[in-house]
Amino acid sequence: MPSTKSGHPEIFRFTVSPRQPKDPRSLGYLADAHALGITSLTRLVCNDLYFIEGSLQAYQAEKLASSLLSNNITQAVTWQRVGEEATGKPPGGQSRDEKVVVEVALRPGVTDPVAEEIVRSARVMGIAQVQRASTGLRFELYGAMTARDVDLLTHRLLANSVIHRSEVGEIQPIFPVDAKASTKIEWFPIRDMSDEALIDLSRSRRAALDLAEMQAIQAYFCKVGRDMTDVELECLAQTWSEHCVHKTFKAIISISNYENLPIQLQAAYPGGTVDNIMKSFLKSATDTICAPWVRSAFVDNAGIIEYDGFNEISFKVETHNHPSAIEPFGGANTGVGGVIRDVLGVSAKPIAATDVLCFGPQTVSIDDLPEGVLHPRRVQAGVVAGVQDYGNKIGIPTVSGAILYDEGYTANPLVYCGCVGIAPKDAHPRTPQAGDHVIVIGGKTGRDGLRGATFSSMTMDAQTGEVAGASVQIGDPITEKGLVEVVLRARDANLYHAITDCGAGGLSSAVGEMAGVIGAEVDLQHVRLKYSGLAPWEIWLSEAQERMVLAVPQSNLTNLANICKTFDVDLTDIGTFQPTGRLVVRYGDQILLNLENDFLHHGIPQRRLQAIIPREQGRSQPVTMSSSLDPAQALLRLLGHPNIASKEAVIRIYDHEVQGGTLLKPLVGVAGDAPGDAVVLKPVGTRGQVALALSAGINAEYGKVDTYRMAASVIDEAVRNAVAVGANPDRIAILDNFCWGDPLRAEVLGDLLEAARGCYDTSLLHRVPFISGKDSFNNEYLGKDGARHSIPPTLLISAIGLLDDISQAVSMDLKTPGAVLYLVGSFKPDWGGSHFHLVSGSSGGGVPVVDTINPQIYRRLFQAIQNGWVNACHDLSEGGLAVAAAEMCIGGRLGLDLRLEANQGLLGLFGETNGCLLVEVPENLTKVFENIFEGLPIARLGIVISEPCLRIESGNLLINLPMEDLLVAWKGNSRVSISSNLQGEKG
């Protein structure tokens, strides 16, 4: 068989080129390059590279080239043995322009799921000689570029040095090697360390532990009379991290300015102290509501509610902010994969994914970016590609989300990933038994994802990308698809007593948490590795993706192994659960970790923090308004604002219909391009007419002004959106995701307290319990000016509600000329945090209040929908009434002729309010519709007209815009380039 002169198998290089001159991916890279200011680049061609090692015959290489690695219709492929001439010629001919070639490949140790699938697929094709594979990209750059241009292109657009290596010219392939772990451990004489040495140790190991926490660890090892291993330090740092234990939410918080607060604020914080935000506000609200249909809240990997009497629904939303800032594709990709495993961790089948994304302005100059910060265009492209890649490949619809833009997210994007699951009632076992085996199923363990929990608990600086590069992972949705199939079959066969996923902290968190109620002993030499040289602490802490841990009795091991073999999923037995109350980790005969469960999980000192409550909360600021604003132009500018404009370019690349359960989609209307208020799902195979509604509320502009009212507003918006499609307001549960700055700063913590108080009050007002949540702190960045830059306080509220009858679901698009349009709800528009300010340069006002009458409005509206009296319904949110009306026109491609009260003016058109919706009602049903709202605020605004335009009169103000103008404004800013990430272009 052919081989190299050294006797090793040969290496084959395959180059796959686009046949069409206007290749969309290449054009996307070109547009991004021009956006970065590199206009000397006149043409770019992006090719895929594949390197395969194996003793292949020529016909086998040709078969791989034509049948596996390329699409003959759209792509041309050349291949060669490394060091020889290529077969065939790439399409397109020669260019007279000067050409520079840059090739990019993954660094050693970075997960390459496409390469793994090449090896597997080749064997399925009968080409067993393929031993290893690796992938990359080849960029052909044309134009009169300087060396600086090429370097800037390479490092700002074509490659991310955290995970990629690059070369001008041809790059040499690197393959994974046979895996064997290191047995080296490090001992720390912690008993003899000074306070300064303790802090230095925490800092040097990036443990993110403060002095009190390090002193508690020191006291423990003084008590047991021995030094501490690196495995024990890393395990404690992970377990005690902000990400895992939520120590800010559990802290004792003293309000420094309590005596100077207004009386009403003092009354909200009796004694000026809050002991545990979680218990005092979020969990307290859920306990007070005590909804009988909530089956699990703040206990499992995901919150769980009753569905149809036979099934239960789980829901979890996570954040993956810091990893996405460093490596956007991998951060978002593994964020999706991780939250899917959270749902799998409650023994549920994943049925839908959600994504809410916050980015910096896409037009920011590259010269204005701090050192080490990726351009927001690149961040968005990578994040969106990561979400698409995982959801589409694993076969889970991405159905609900939002995209926001703000300067505060330039260096620190926010990536909220959610997943919904379904399971038979009482099918989730939770308690490992003595003698159960500690079973790991799924992917192998690598160095990817080290210290992710502590990394996410620290402020990023200009060196974060270099120091924390190992905290970033690349997902493998194909492996996770097999994991899903195995877990569901194992659940139905009752093969395990407990299950959880390897999330932040990997085996350390998964095994540690499961063993926390009993004890366990683990041997790391049994863990399957991706490559050689991993230290024991790296094996224990790695967050390598697509792994679950199960507690399996001996009698069920064979059956579980057979299921795993069917789906080509690895199974490894790494230890047993034992009733010792201790966690013991070995490598062979060497003990690496031996800790009492009580200390590991309950030994962390409760933090004591100081907060300053902002006195201006709830106050309206003087309004500064431009007198020359034209209402029609203001509306067009609002429709074109990135936060409001169409997100169709992103939504279309997600598969939101796979699994066949999506009734109301994220885009609705006659052309399928208008923004739905919520999506409606009916999982395939479920009984009766009950369906699910998924919605969200988020508004960072409000958070900049008043965090209490922001929290109240986003809860009200999430509930309002769900009710708008027909959800029962008495069967809605919510999830909270706080993304904040450094909680050790008193002003930041004061804003957090006010937001939590807003959550408590509004949850009780609407009787919507919290069932799960997640906080993400230290979303700050040390800029090149040396100052801290924080994101705006951002709270995402995700809502999941039940529709009693799926046939009554309502969309927002106008339906019938001659129908009447009503405004229902307490219409109290205000200017604070409004998008009108963003497009007009005005300022002032207060954040809209949440009226106590809102729950009554929503319940009456629900009754009207149930009675079949509503054609269409759309909530008022960003941009106010005029934007909501324009969106309804776009959805139905019909017109509206509306009259506002003469004294409302610009505020009535563009001021923002809570609790209000526009409702289309058939003319013959207007009387019964008005009667059902008797005693509540309701206004008849006008009628639906067949002429596709929007007319609104309010005193001497007039908007009269044709549909064409609305559509151009709405869609003109919607293009998103999905180009700039190596992994995002694969598969």
Side-chain angles (χ1 to χ4, degrees), residues 668-724:
V668 297
V670 295
D673 60 357
D677 291 287
V679 295
V680 175
L681 307 170
K682 185 167 189 355
V684 173
T686 55
R687 308 182 188 185
Q689 292 295 102
V690 180
L692 297 171
L694 294 177
S695 63
I698 185 170
N699 197 317
E701 294 302 318
Y702 291 176
K704 297 176 185 178
V705 181
D706 187 325
T707 55
Y708 175 89
R709 288 192 180 179
M710 178 266 282
S713 295
V714 296
I715 290 177
D716 193 80
E717 181 182 16
V719 173
R720 188 165 73 244
N721 282 333
V723 173

Side-chain angles (χ1 to χ4, degrees), residues 699-889:
N699 197 317
E701 294 302 318
Y702 291 176
K704 297 176 185 178
V705 181
D706 187 325
T707 55
Y708 175 89
R709 288 192 180 179
M710 178 266 282
S713 295
V714 296
I715 290 177
D716 193 80
E717 181 182 16
V719 173
R720 188 165 73 244
N721 282 333
V723 173
V725 299
N728 185 340
D730 293 320
R731 291 294 300 275
I732 295 175
I734 57 177
L735 289 74
D736 64 271
N737 285 90
F738 290 83
C739 285
W740 239 251
D742 183 359
L744 299 183
R745 297 165 64 182
E747 295 84 358
V748 172
L749 188 56
D751 279 336
L752 178 69
L753 274 179
E754 281 292 88
R757 183 171 71 89
C759 284
Y760 174 81
D761 289 346
T762 316
S763 170
L764 292 183
L765 174 67
H766 284 296
R767 309 298 292 178
V768 288
F770 291 96
I771 58 171
S772 182
K774 194 71 173 178
D775 54 78
S776 172
F777 292 115
N778 300 292
N779 288 284
E780 300 189 345
Y781 194 91
L782 294 178
K784 57 185 177 183
D785 57 358
R788 284 187 173 188
H789 302 272
S790 175
I791 65 165
T794 308
L795 170 63
L796 169 67
I797 294 294
S798 303
I800 184 166
L802 298 188
L803 283 77
D804 297 344
D805 186 348
I806 193 171
S807 67
Q808 300 298 328
V810 174
S811 61
M812 54 76 69
D813 48 300
L814 298 175
K815 305 296 192 305
T816 308
V820 177
L821 193 77
Y822 285 92
L823 171 66
V824 300
S826 179
F827 189 56
K828 298 178 180 178
D830 210 331
W831 289 122
S834 70
H835 276 65
F836 181 80
H837 281 345
L838 296 181
V839 302
S840 69
S842 54
S843 62
V847 172
V849 299
V850 172
D851 199 306
T852 55
I853 206 171
N854 290 3
Q856 296 181 58
I857 297 293
Y858 299 162
R859 287 179 173 84
R860 300 284 180 89
L861 177 60
F862 171 69
Q863 293 174 27
I865 292 174
Q866 288 291 98
N867 291 336
W869 300 343
V870 173
N871 282 351
C873 184
H874 192 32
D875 88 307
L876 273 61
S877 55
E878 293 89 351
L881 186 150
V883 167
E887 290 172 341
M888 294 184 79
C889 292

Side-chain angles (χ1 to χ4, degrees), residues 20 48 121 146 330 400 549 620 635 639 666 680 754 759 860 932:
Q20 62 271 42
D48 292 304
S121 299
T146 65
S400 178
V549 175
S620 181
L635 174 57
L639 289 173
V680 175
E754 281 292 88
C759 284
R860 300 284 180 89
I932 204 171

Side-chain angles (χ1 to χ4, degrees), residues 210-229:
D210 64 21
L211 179 59
E213 292 158 353
M214 291 298 292
Q215 288 173 335
I217 294 172
Q218 183 182 55
Y220 175 81
F221 283 96
C222 286
K223 184 186 77 170
V224 299
R226 65 176 176 84
D227 290 341
M228 174 179 62
T229 69

Side-chain angles (χ1 to χ4, degrees), residues 17-18 63 103 183 204 309 343 366 398 421 468 492 497 555 644 718 731 811-812 837 933 942:
S17 308
K63 184 177 180 181
E103 294 190 350
T183 59
S204 65
V343 165
I366 195 169
T398 302
D492 293 343
H497 288 141
S555 59
I644 297 175
R731 291 294 300 275
S811 61
M812 54 76 69
H837 281 345
F933 281 93

Side-chain angles (χ1 to χ4, degrees), residues 587-600:
Y587 193 95
D589 295 331
Q590 188 177 26
I591 295 180
L592 311 172
L593 180 150
N594 188 349
L595 296 173
E596 298 171 7
N597 277 337
D598 186 61
F599 175 69
L600 178 61

Side-chain angles (χ1 to χ4, degrees), residues 360-695:
Q362 300 295 284
T363 56
V364 65
S365 168
I366 195 169
D367 297 328
D368 294 335
L369 296 177
E371 181 184 352
V373 171
L374 299 175
H375 193 280
R377 283 177 66 92
R378 177 153 184 206
V379 173
Q380 172 163 309
V383 166
V384 171
V387 173
Q388 172 212 25
D389 178 84
Y390 217 99
N392 289 9
K393 286 182 179 176
I394 199 172
I396 296 173
T398 302
V399 296
S400 178
I403 303 178
L404 302 181
Y405 300 91
D406 188 89
E407 290 182 358
Y409 304 127
T410 298
N412 201 132
L414 303 184
V415 177
Y416 300 91
C417 304
C419 187
V420 179
I422 188 168
K425 289 177 64 174
D426 302 317
H428 174 48
R430 294 175 169 86
T431 308
Q433 305 296 312
D436 283 351
H437 289 252
V438 182
I439 301 299
V440 181
I441 62 173
K444 294 181 173 63
T445 298
R447 193 170 277 114
D448 42 338
L450 292 176
R451 297 186 177 130
T454 55
F455 163 58
S456 295
S457 304
M458 304 173 74
T459 297
M460 295 191 295
D461 56 34
Q463 286 75 46
T464 298
E466 299 174 16
V467 176
S471 298
V472 177
Q473 312 123 61
I474 302 296
D476 184 358
I478 303 304
T479 295
E480 186 147 312
K481 174 63 174 174
L483 205 60
V484 171
E485 300 298 334
V486 168
V487 169
L488 296 182
R489 284 160 176 78
R491 176 201 69 191
D492 293 343
N494 299 312
L495 297 184
Y496 57 85
H497 288 141
I499 183 173
T500 194
D501 76 306
C502 288
L507 294 172
S508 175
S509 64
V511 179
E513 290 172 10
M514 289 177 69
V517 297
I518 180 169
E521 184 166 331
V522 170
D523 190 342
L524 294 184
Q525 70 177 345
H526 299 310
V527 176
R528 300 188 183 189
L529 306 179
K530 295 180 180 179
Y531 39 79
S532 63
L534 267 70
W537 77 265
E538 293 176 315
I539 300 172
W540 185 237
L541 268 293
S542 167
E543 295 176 20
Q545 295 291 294
E546 290 77 45
R547 299 176 301 159
M548 303 289 293
V549 175
L550 294 82
V552 182
Q554 174 71 37
S555 59
N556 293 342
L557 288 177
T558 299
N559 288 340
L560 180 60
N562 288 336
I563 295 174
C564 287
K565 184 177 180 181
T566 298
F567 292 96
D568 197 21
V569 172
D570 285 345
L571 179 151
T572 312
D573 187 342
I574 65 170
T576 56
F577 291 97
Q578 301 174 357
T580 61
R582 306 185 70 85
L583 179 63
V584 179
V585 179
R586 302 175 179 271
Y587 193 95
D589 295 331
Q590 188 177 26
I591 295 180
L592 311 172
L593 180 150
N594 188 349
L595 296 173
E596 298 171 7
N597 277 337
D598 186 61
F599 175 69
L600 178 61
H601 296 290
H602 307 292
I604 182 172
Q606 187 177 16
R607 279 192 166 180
R608 293 182 174 271
L609 302 175
Q610 297 290 319
I612 295 176
I613 301 295
R615 290 176 53 87
E616 62 273 14
Q617 293 275 70
R619 296 183 181 180
S620 181
Q621 302 300 317
V623 176
T624 302
M625 189 69 66
S626 170
S627 59
S628 59
L629 287 172
D630 173 67
Q633 291 305 310
L635 174 57
L636 295 177
R637 290 172 68 179
L638 279 165
L639 289 173
H641 188 279
N643 288 353
I644 297 175
S646 171
K647 307 302 186 299
E648 185 176 4
V650 172
I651 295 171
R652 290 295 181 205
I653 72 168
Y654 300 153
D655 189 336
H656 50 262
E657 299 194 62
V658 65
Q659 296 195 24
T662 313
L663 176 66
L664 282 188
K665 302 167 180 53
L667 294 172
V668 297
V670 295
D673 60 357
D677 291 287
V679 295
V680 175
L681 307 170
K682 185 167 189 355
V684 173
T686 55
R687 308 182 188 185
Q689 292 295 102
V690 180
L692 297 171
L694 294 177
S695 63

